[in-house]
Amino acid sequence: MKVTSPTLYCDLETFSAKDIRTGSHAYAADPSAEVLLWGYAIDDAPAKVWDVTAGPMPEELRQALDEVARKERRHVWQNGVMFDRVFLSYVMPEIELPMETLDDTMVMAYQAGLPGSLKEPGIFIQKYRQKSRSKKKRLCNYLTVFTTFSNALGLFIARSASTLRLSAIPLALTLPINSE
């Protein structure tokens, strides 16, 4: 799929001695908090991982983040509003992530009536596709819903540096209008 607007896809792997169940702010405010790995993809380029503990930020990531700060590039995160943006505000406060250009796949999933985790929307869509194939004749009318969500989530998962392998996310999520 071709990305039509400049987009930076990001995912962080972090550490803190504080239990994450204490909340994003408490977890990030702990003196031990640090970013370990930063997975990213720029537009249609392959996903890459920056080992934050091993060296300076790659120049291409720095340039993309500068464009994000100037609101010239959108940025897509999984749970970015509630975690990544908060975490970075504590451990890398020099990085500016404006809300106006942030797309959060968890928020998009909730807007589509799906679970917010990375794994569950893929499972939901996979089960729906299997069910719709078996009842193909009964499911005549379809409505394309939240194409933006499915495109962003599909690209994010496909390009994510995480260990999840959810290739079942379709590029357009279709739901039946009438299943009778």
Side-chain angles (χ1 to χ4, degrees):
M1 183 180 134
K2 183 82 173 143
V3 175
T4 57
S5 64
T7 305
L8 173 63
Y9 301 89
C10 296
D11 189 24
L12 301 179
E13 294 302 324
T14 63
F15 170 81
S16 176
K18 195 78 155 173
D19 191 321
I20 196 159
R21 291 175 288 191
T22 62
S24 297
H25 287 274
Y27 178 83
D30 189 84
S32 68
E34 64 178 320
V35 176
L36 301 175
L37 300 172
W38 186 317
Y40 66 98
I42 300 171
D43 301 326
D44 289 323
K48 296 180 181 180
V49 177
W50 168 38
D51 183 345
V52 179
T53 65
M57 181 182 291
E59 185 56 32
E60 66 181 354
L61 178 57
R62 168 65 58 208
Q63 287 175 347
L65 286 169
D66 288 345
E67 291 170 0
V68 165
R70 292 190 308 265
K71 300 178 185 172
E72 296 170 357
R73 177 179 294 278
R74 59 190 275 266
H75 49 119
V76 178
W77 299 80
Q78 164 59 18
N79 197 12
V81 173
M82 299 299 288
F83 182 78
D84 296 296
R85 193 168 181 271
V86 170
F87 194 86
L88 287 172
S89 73
Y90 282 93
V91 300
M92 295 179 165
E94 69 279 6
I95 295 175
E96 186 180 338
L97 299 173
M99 290 291 291
E100 299 86 358
T101 57
L102 185 145
D103 287 321
D104 187 321
T105 59
M106 179 180 281
V107 172
M108 289 186 257
Y110 289 148
Q111 289 173 332
L114 297 172
S117 73
L118 278 174
K119 181 179 179 183
E120 287 150 349
I123 292 169
F124 170 84
I125 292 166
Q126 214 171 17
K127 285 182 181 177
Y128 173 78
R129 292 175 88 194
Q130 289 169 352
K131 182 179 177 183
S132 68
R133 275 195 289 270
S134 66
K135 297 182 178 183
K136 195 171 186 177
K137 291 180 183 177
R138 291 176 59 203
L139 302 175
C140 301
N141 298 318
Y142 288 90
L143 174 65
T144 300
V145 178
F146 294 105
T147 302
T148 302
F149 157 72
S150 57
N151 285 347
L153 183 59
L155 271 172
F156 183 81
I157 291 171
R159 297 182 183 288
S160 176
S162 72
T163 58
L164 294 174
R165 300 288 184 250
L166 299 178
S167 59
I169 303 294
L171 294 180
L173 172 63
T174 56
L175 299 173
I177 294 173
N178 181 2
S179 60
E180 295 182 33

